Amino acid sequence: KFMLASRDKALEAAKLIVQAFEEPQAAKTFAEHQQNCKGDLQKFFQICIPFSVSVMGAVGSTFGFENSQIGCMQLQNEIAKYETDPEISPLLKTIKSKFVPIPA
């Protein structure tokens, strides 16, 4: 099982994940996917989740996590160990928002 060895590694990973989602092409694609899937849970799981996994998984793999949905869940759980940290908490909320559908 992979783990983040410290709070600093968790912060580094969280920052890199958020940065990856904020890159112009990724942000544009995610926004388009989110709008296309709005209110349709099936589409959300078929389109948005795989995209979010591809973005987060690429970062996670640099920390030794599997580039997959399971790897993303493991990485998010590792970061969540520090969710009360004032620097990590807002980053974690941003990361989680990439895996939650928006209502119709």
Side-chain angles (χ1 to χ4, degrees):
K1 181 183 174 200
F2 294 101
M3 296 175 59
L4 295 173
S6 66
R7 175 250 178 220
D8 290 342
K9 279 291 180 191
L11 178 60
E12 179 186 353
K15 283 181 177 179
L16 289 172
I17 294 164
V18 170
Q19 286 172 4
F21 276 107
E22 289 175 346
E23 287 190 12
Q25 187 58 49
K28 179 180 183 274
T29 301
F30 183 77
E32 288 171 357
H33 286 338
Q34 217 174 22
Q35 285 305 309
N36 291 337
C37 298
K38 198 173 182 180
D40 187 332
L41 201 53
Q42 183 177 352
K43 271 179 137 178
F44 180 80
F45 281 104
Q46 291 174 336
I47 298 170
C48 290
I49 292 291
F51 180 77
S52 293
V53 166
S54 72
V55 174
M56 185 172 174
V59 175
S61 67
T62 67
F63 288 87
F65 291 84
E66 188 178 299
N67 189 348
S68 68
Q69 190 168 351
I70 291 171
C72 289
M73 290 169 47
Q74 291 170 333
L75 177 55
Q76 186 171 311
N77 288 338
E78 285 296 304
I79 294 168
K81 290 179 180 178
Y82 304 95
E83 67 187 337
T84 59
D85 183 283
E87 283 186 277
I88 293 175
S89 180
L91 296 168
L92 185 59
K93 285 179 183 162
T94 298
I95 294 165
K96 286 181 177 182
S97 75
K98 305 304 181 187
F99 292 89
V100 178
I102 56 173

